[in-house]
Amino acid sequence: MEIRIEERFPVTETELHRYGTVPIAFAVTARFVPSRIDGGLGGLRLTEASVEPPYVKDYDAMPGEGPHAWASHFDLSGWTLFLALCETGPVGGAALAENKVGLELLSPRPDAALLYDLRVHPRHRGQGIGRRLFSAAEARARERGFRWLEVETQNTNVPACRFYVAMGCVLRMIREDAYPDVPDEAQMLWGKRLRQETNRGGVSRVP
């Protein structure tokens, strides 16, 4: 089956509706449990633990969430949608936020674009579609001059964490108190460097 990736900018209500037809639900069977070494002075250890009983998490089913609600929460004027399309319609999507108004708590730095959402239909997962969508969003952010691509996920989404590592992201922050409504979940913020600055001496400068 042929899959093509198409970019949608600016974002329209019609495209948000098409995007939202791709399910994002996944089975939670494990989670990463963070523990501090030497009170945090020795770093952080993540241990994968089974979740019993397993359950299904669906971000779109949460009140006020899902693509249909994004326009009511955020200024989408600087957002780009990427759709993975086959002959029958969308099978995946990614949303890149260059304008992070309303999302400042995730990262206040202006040189970072945020991969706000990435989803692949359950029947088409494991076929490389997610990689193609991530790469398309990364290319867009790089072309627009951003130095970092950032992603938020949770410690209960172990496959997503492993995917972002495979795509070259590094774990930059863990917040265990980020979600008051779900205190058992921790926020995990990932970042991928898109370019480096060079000083006058020709030495790369790391921010």
Side-chain angles (χ1 to χ4, degrees):
M1 179 177 59
E2 181 180 354
I3 302 291
R4 66 186 187 278
I5 306 296
E6 294 188 0
E7 181 179 312
R8 297 289 188 267
F9 179 85
V11 174
T12 66
E13 185 176 347
T14 298
E15 293 301 340
L16 282 174
H17 176 75
R18 292 186 74 202
Y19 188 102
T21 63
V22 179
I24 198 174
F26 64 97
V28 177
T29 60
R31 67 187 181 107
F32 284 122
V33 180
S35 59
R36 292 167 180 80
I37 303 171
D38 191 18
L41 294 178
L44 192 71
R45 178 185 292 113
L46 293 177
T47 304
E48 185 174 340
S50 298
V51 171
E52 296 293 344
Y55 63 94
V56 173
K57 180 153 189 175
D58 186 353
Y59 296 109
D60 290 351
M62 299 170 64
E65 299 294 332
H68 65 282
W70 291 350
S72 63
H73 299 317
F74 311 119
D75 177 3
L76 302 183
S77 61
W79 287 42
T80 303
L81 296 184
F82 300 88
L83 289 171
L85 300 167
C86 69
E87 58 185 12
T88 59
V91 295
L96 180 71
E98 299 175 36
N99 173 7
K100 296 188 291 182
V101 174
L103 294 164
E104 294 88 346
L105 290 178
L106 295 181
S107 172
R109 57 187 305 162
D111 60 349
L114 176 70
L115 183 59
Y116 182 74
D117 187 86
L118 191 150
R119 59 182 65 202
V120 176
H121 196 289
R123 291 198 300 269
H124 298 277
R125 293 171 187 170
Q127 300 175 16
I129 297 173
R131 287 177 172 270
R132 292 178 62 187
L133 288 165
F134 183 98
S135 296
E138 177 185 349
R140 165 79 178 188
R142 184 178 287 108
E143 290 168 1
R144 296 285 291 171
F146 289 96
R147 295 171 63 191
W148 286 91
L149 178 65
E150 296 186 327
V151 189
E152 175 196 16
T153 188
Q154 292 74 43
N155 64 326
T156 51
N157 197 343
V158 171
C161 294
R162 297 194 183 282
F163 169 79
Y164 292 124
V165 170
M167 296 305 296
C169 297
V170 295
L171 183 60
R172 304 189 67 193
M173 182 185 301
I174 297 178
R175 292 181 58 200
E176 297 178 73
D177 59 349
Y179 312 115
D181 294 337
V182 279
D184 292 336
E185 293 192 8
Q187 181 190 58
M188 304 180 76
L189 298 179
W190 304 84
K192 181 171 184 178
R193 186 187 303 279
L194 303 180
R195 63 185 179 91
Q196 292 181 332
E197 296 293 339
T198 303
N199 63 24
R200 293 183 179 181
V203 178
S204 294
R205 178 169 58 86
V206 179

